[in-house]
């Protein structure tokens, strides 16, 4: 199955410091970033900024699943935001899920228990775009991918950007977040898998998220080197370049 | 959390003086709406409404559940309007502000209590199974007149929404997935819309339609009228503020009716456009298993 190319819009909300909408693989997420702002007394930290992530589902009230996603994102994003530059401040990131991919073969239930791995890349990607739009100083940017390990005739194979049906049949699924320098920022896995399968999934994800950064400066891409998914670092860069050109244009 | 900054004295004076001279910051007439824009999402029941810089997203969803014991023949219909810090950092999660309480209350009165959605049609098995329809209102940005935008979004989302088709055979209830049978629309009876007037001046003699956030902060009172295109009034809310002449209020209802008629027309047009977009091969009519009411 081919997935449409990612789409992003920056600075769409007039009232917040920074905002972004990111649309990819059936997921649409809008994020707003406010910060650094005054922190509530209980969140105040004497020598670093508190990163507050709020994930709001499209339908239904947020529950344990959203709290879990929030804690994952909070710890990952605190690593790349230069939190020590803003003591006693708050950087607030609100992620509003607008739509999730529909599965025509199942009727969805509102309250779903369990972890929601496939949404992590969309949330991370949107958060990073919104942070960039809000000009929050960061050590590096991040790119994320989800890999499903599906059974294929006796053995298994890693599938990038799996569809809802592939996720159902997958023996395990993995979400990876990498920094622009290729360092692993977050790895979440679900299901049964061997170390070799994990290594394979990790390598595939690394290729999508970081290959462009390594290739920087090379003039040509060989044809046999087929990309498994969209080049996320390049996408991030081109989105921001487009935004900056638009903003700097006089009249 | 930081408090929202209030407009300065100069700003307030400027807005008021301009309104006394029949002028508004954005050059609109006193009884004109900002440009309204409605977009439907890829799935059913997803409405994105932009009214100037105010942006509201409404998402309708349905699931099968057990009806309330005191109303065994009715389905469940809820509207959830929670303002997130995305609207403004002064809002906190789980701590409703006055704006939020008023918004949910008005939406409840306008859409739910006016019987816009036929809740009896949501019943599947009396006392055992029914549909629970839920609309989530997400406010993405607030630049005044949240109530009108949110109400329009809720009505648009519900009218656009399709719930899975069901059948009853020998006491067995089957809920079909979208792959098996085309989902069916909700039993919709009428479309009420909210129209909010803001009053300015010492006696509240200047009435303004569709106030921006700055104007809302300066106004001396407001009145929300909910009605449908037939001119049937569902509710009028004038919560405190400066008293307003009765004659002025009657004039307001007249203005509200014309506004609601244009809303209805716009929504109908958008719904037909969307239906045309979805009905690519002209096969949707054949796929539907819905009976005529």
């Amino acid at each position: 199955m081919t997935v449409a190319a990612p789409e992003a819009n920056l600075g769409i909300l007039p009232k917040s410091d920074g905002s972004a909408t990111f649309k990819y693989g059936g997921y649409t997420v809008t994020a707003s970033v406010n910060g650094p702002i005054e922190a509530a007394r209980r969140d105040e930290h004497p020598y670093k900024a508190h990163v507050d992530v709020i994930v709001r589902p499209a339908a239904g009230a947020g529950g344990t699943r959203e709290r879990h996603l929030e804690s994952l994102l909070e710890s990952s994003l605190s690593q790349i935001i230069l939190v020590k530059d803003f003591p006693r401040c708050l950087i607030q990131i609100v992620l509003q899920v607008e739509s999730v991919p529909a599965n025509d073969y199942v009727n969805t239930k509102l309250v779903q228990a369990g972890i929601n791995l496939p949404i992590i890349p969309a949330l991370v990607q949107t958060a990073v775009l919104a942070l960039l739009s809000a000009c929050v100083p960061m050590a590096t940017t991040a790119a994320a991918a989800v890999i499903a390990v599906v059974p294929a005739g006796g053995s298994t194979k890693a599938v990038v950007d799996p569809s809802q049906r592939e996720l159902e049949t997958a023996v395990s699924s993995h979400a990876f977040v990498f920094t622009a320098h290729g360092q692993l920022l977050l790895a979440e896995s679900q299901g049964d898998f061997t170390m070799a399968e994990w290594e394979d999934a990790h390598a595939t994800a690394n290729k999508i998220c970081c290959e462009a950064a390594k290739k920087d400066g090379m003039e040509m891409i060989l044809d046999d080197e087929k990309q498994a998914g969209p080049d996320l670092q390049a996408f991030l860069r081109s989105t921001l370049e487009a935004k900056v050109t638009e903003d700097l244009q006089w009249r | 959390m930081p408090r929202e900054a209030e407009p300065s004295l100069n700003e307030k004076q400027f807005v008021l003086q301009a309104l006394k001279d029949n002028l508004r910051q954005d050059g609109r007439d006193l009884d004109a709406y900002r440009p309204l824009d409605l977009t439907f999402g890829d799935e059913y029941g997803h409405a994105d409404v932009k009214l100037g810089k105010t942006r509201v997203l409404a998402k309708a969803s349905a699931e099968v559940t057990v009806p309330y014991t005191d109303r065994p023949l009715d389905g469940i219909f809820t509207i959830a309007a929670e303002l997130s810090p995305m609207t403004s950092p002064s809002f906190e999660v789980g701590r409703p502000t006055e704006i939020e309480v008023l918004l949910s209350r008005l939406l409840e009165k306008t859409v739910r209590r006016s019987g816009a959605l036929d809740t009896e049609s949501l019943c599947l098995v009396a006392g055992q199974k029914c549909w629970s329809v839920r609309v989530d209102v997400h406010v993405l940005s607030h630049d005044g007149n949240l109530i009108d935008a949110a109400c329009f979004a809720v009505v648009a989302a519900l009218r656009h929404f399709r719930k899975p088709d069901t059948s009853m055979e020998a006491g067995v209830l089957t809920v079909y997935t979208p792959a098996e049978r085309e989902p069916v629309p909700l039993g919709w009876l009428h479309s009420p819309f909210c129209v909010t007037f803001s009053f300015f001046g010492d006696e509240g003699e200047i009435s303004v339609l569709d106030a921006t956030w700055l104007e809302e902060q300066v106004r001396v009172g407001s009145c929300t009228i909910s009605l449908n295109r037939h001119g049937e009034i569902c509710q009028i809310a004038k919560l405190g503020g400066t008293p307003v002449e009765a004659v002025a209020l009657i004039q307001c209802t007249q203005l509200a009716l014309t506004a609601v008629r244009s809303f209805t027309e716009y929504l109908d047009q958008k719904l037909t456009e969307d239906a045309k977009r979805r009905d690519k091969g002209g096969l949707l009519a054949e796929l539907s298993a819905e009976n005529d009411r």
Side-chain angles (χ1 to χ4, degrees), chain B residues 4-16:
Chain B
E4 191 84 13
E6 274 183 33
S8 66
L9 215 56
N10 282 345
E11 261 179 305
K12 284 185 190 171
Q13 279 300 322
F14 180 70
V15 173
L16 281 177

Side-chain angles (χ1 to χ4, degrees), chain A residues 33-76:
Chain A
V33 169
N34 282 307
I37 52 172
E38 184 192 333
R41 187 53 82 73
R42 59 173 189 278
D43 297 330
E44 215 175 81
H45 197 287
Y47 31 75
K48 64 175 188 180
H50 175 69
V51 178
D52 186 19
V53 180
I54 298 160
V55 177
R56 292 168 58 85
T64 324
R65 195 165 62 154
E66 277 69 33
R67 299 294 93 75
H68 179 228
L69 287 171
E70 283 169 13
S71 72
L72 285 179
L73 286 170
E74 233 167 73
S75 48
S76 315

Side-chain angles (χ1 to χ4, degrees), chain B residues 5 21-22 29 39 76-77 88 190 193 197 231 261 284 286-287:
Chain B
D21 299 341
N22 271 340
D29 287 336
T39 341
I76 300 169
F77 174 39
S88 152
H190 71 124
F193 295 101
F197 292 90
R261 286 208 171 119
L284 213 56
E286 282 172 48
L287 280 171

